[in-house]
Amino acid sequence: MIKLTNLQKKYGDFELNVSMEIPAGTVVGLIGKNGAGKSTTIKAILGLIYPDGGSVEVFGKTPFEFKKKEKEAIGAALSDSGFSMMLNAEDVVHILKKMYSDFDESYFRKCCSEQGLDMRKKIKDYSGGMKAKLRVITAISHKAKLLVLDEPTSGLDVVARNEILDMFRSYLEEDNERSILISSHISSDLEGLCDVLYMIHNGRILLREDTDVIMGRYGILRVSEERYNTLDKKYLLASKKEGFGYSCLTNEKQFYLENYPDVVMENGNIDNIIIMMLGGK
């Protein structure tokens, strides 16, 4: 559904160069620190910026070859975009009717009602969570085959985040060929939603891994310096010097549990991977 091949974009000293693939029916998470290149990648996929090199394909075409059919098959929710704050949801309905031939007005109204959005209240008077929900409802209300989401739950409390994630799950259940690309720095959102994770740092992909592999096979070893010096390091992805010795990231925790029963092992998660891959050696 999406294929990036050596996608390149330069902004001053920053240079993006990434390759990734999102098959139909897959939820892919893009993780990394602020400024790593997540938003630039998403904007290139949506055709909002021109690449300096490489290629972007969505539905087998470049974004600049899209006709109305391909544009309508994408739902986007970007953290720095939206409707005029002086509009209300009733105004949004009229806009979406003109934009999308498959816009489902009854579904849009149902979602707004379920999420507590007053249709006649101006968007400027919505809370941050309400504005985020409106962006998501807009993205999913025209039967899109692909959702592209840039930090859709950023700055929201846990209740609002869970409600938005539930909307994504419902969207996926309606059609098993639908796909989602979501960038986020909130690991719990990605762990419960994504099939695959890509880690991006300084414009490069550092890691591509299935989420269930991360949760099942990755781990953090906490060892003394003496024990660290005797470890077989062939399955260590990164190590970090600590006051007690070393923290080590592995993608084969069972190997170390079986061969070094004295070491302290913690289960891996996305936060651990980010900290170790970006802060370790």
Side-chain angles (χ1 to χ4, degrees):
M1 189 167 283
I2 296 177
K3 185 176 182 181
L4 309 182
T5 305
N6 298 321
L7 168 65
Q8 298 170 34
K9 187 66 180 179
K10 287 195 70 173
Y11 292 109
D13 294 334
F14 174 79
E15 182 175 356
L16 181 78
N17 191 327
V18 301
S19 297
M20 62 189 299
E21 192 164 353
I22 302 175
T26 305
V27 182
V28 172
L30 190 58
I31 61 176
K33 297 192 299 185
N34 290 337
K38 302 189 299 295
S39 294
T40 301
T41 301
I42 284 175
K43 288 176 180 177
I45 290 170
L46 294 175
L48 300 177
I49 59 174
Y50 284 91
D52 295 326
S55 64
V56 179
E57 291 185 9
V58 184
F59 309 130
K61 298 181 178 180
T62 73
F64 307 106
E65 297 174 323
F66 284 174
K67 304 299 183 183
K68 189 173 188 290
K69 178 183 176 182
E70 288 82 24
K71 291 179 179 179
E72 290 193 353
I74 299 175
L78 309 183
S79 59
D80 58 354
S81 66
F83 296 99
S84 166
M85 294 293 102
M86 299 308 295
L87 300 178
N88 60 30
E90 290 287 357
D91 298 320
V92 172
V93 167
H94 294 298
I95 293 170
L96 296 179
K97 279 182 179 180
K98 298 288 186 181
M99 291 179 64
Y100 300 107
S101 56
D102 285 332
F103 172 63
D104 190 335
E105 180 179 347
S106 62
Y107 178 75
F108 181 93
R109 291 183 181 277
K110 175 175 173 285
C111 288
C112 286
S113 176
E114 290 175 348
Q115 299 303 322
L117 303 186
D118 186 334
M119 295 288 293
R120 298 193 176 279
K121 192 174 185 178
K122 289 185 177 181
I123 297 173
K124 72 179 180 66
D125 296 323
Y126 279 179
S127 67
M130 290 177 177
K131 291 173 185 173
K133 289 176 183 177
L134 181 62
R135 285 194 293 269
V136 170
I137 293 169
T138 298
I140 66 177
S141 62
H142 60 275
K143 302 178 183 177
K145 299 292 289 184
L146 169 67
L147 290 188
V148 180
L149 312 164
D150 190 12
E151 300 283 358
T153 61
S154 179
L156 306 183
D157 61 54
V158 65
V159 174
R161 294 206 319 270
N162 285 335
E163 289 171 343
I164 287 176
L165 293 174
D166 285 341
M167 283 195 279
F168 295 150
R169 294 185 183 100
S170 296
Y171 158 86
L172 292 167
E173 289 170 0
E174 292 174 4
D175 185 342
N176 60 15
E177 289 295 303
R178 289 176 172 175
S179 296
I180 297 178
L181 172 62
I182 177 171
S183 77
S184 180
H185 62 275
I186 304 173
S187 62
S188 59
D189 291 355
L190 299 179
E191 288 171 358
L193 184 68
C194 296
D195 302 305
V196 177
L197 294 173
Y198 283 85
M199 176 185 289
I200 187 169
H201 182 60
N202 289 337
R204 302 292 189 276
I205 299 295
L206 292 189
L207 179 74
R208 185 264 183 215
E209 190 64 272
D210 291 350
T211 309
D212 58 356
V213 171
I214 290 174
M215 305 308 290
R217 288 172 45 185
Y218 279 62
I220 301 291
L221 291 75
R222 311 289 188 187
V223 297
S224 66
E225 185 166 356
E226 180 181 7
R227 170 49 91 188
Y228 177 78
N229 291 332
T230 64
L231 280 179
D232 184 338
K233 299 179 178 62
K234 63 183 175 183
Y235 297 122
L236 297 185
L237 302 179
S239 300
K240 185 179 180 183
K241 188 75 170 68
E242 309 276 13
F244 59 83
Y246 284 87
S247 295
C248 308
L249 174 67
T250 179
N251 60 350
E252 292 292 347
K253 69 180 181 184
Q254 196 60 36
F255 170 83
Y256 291 99
L257 289 172
E258 292 174 358
N259 291 281
Y260 301 92
D262 59 311
V263 305
V264 175
M265 177 73 72
E266 298 176 4
N267 289 330
N269 58 45
I270 297 172
D271 285 340
N272 285 339
I273 291 175
I274 292 174
I275 292 169
M276 292 298 300
M277 293 291 288
L278 303 187
K281 296 182 180 179

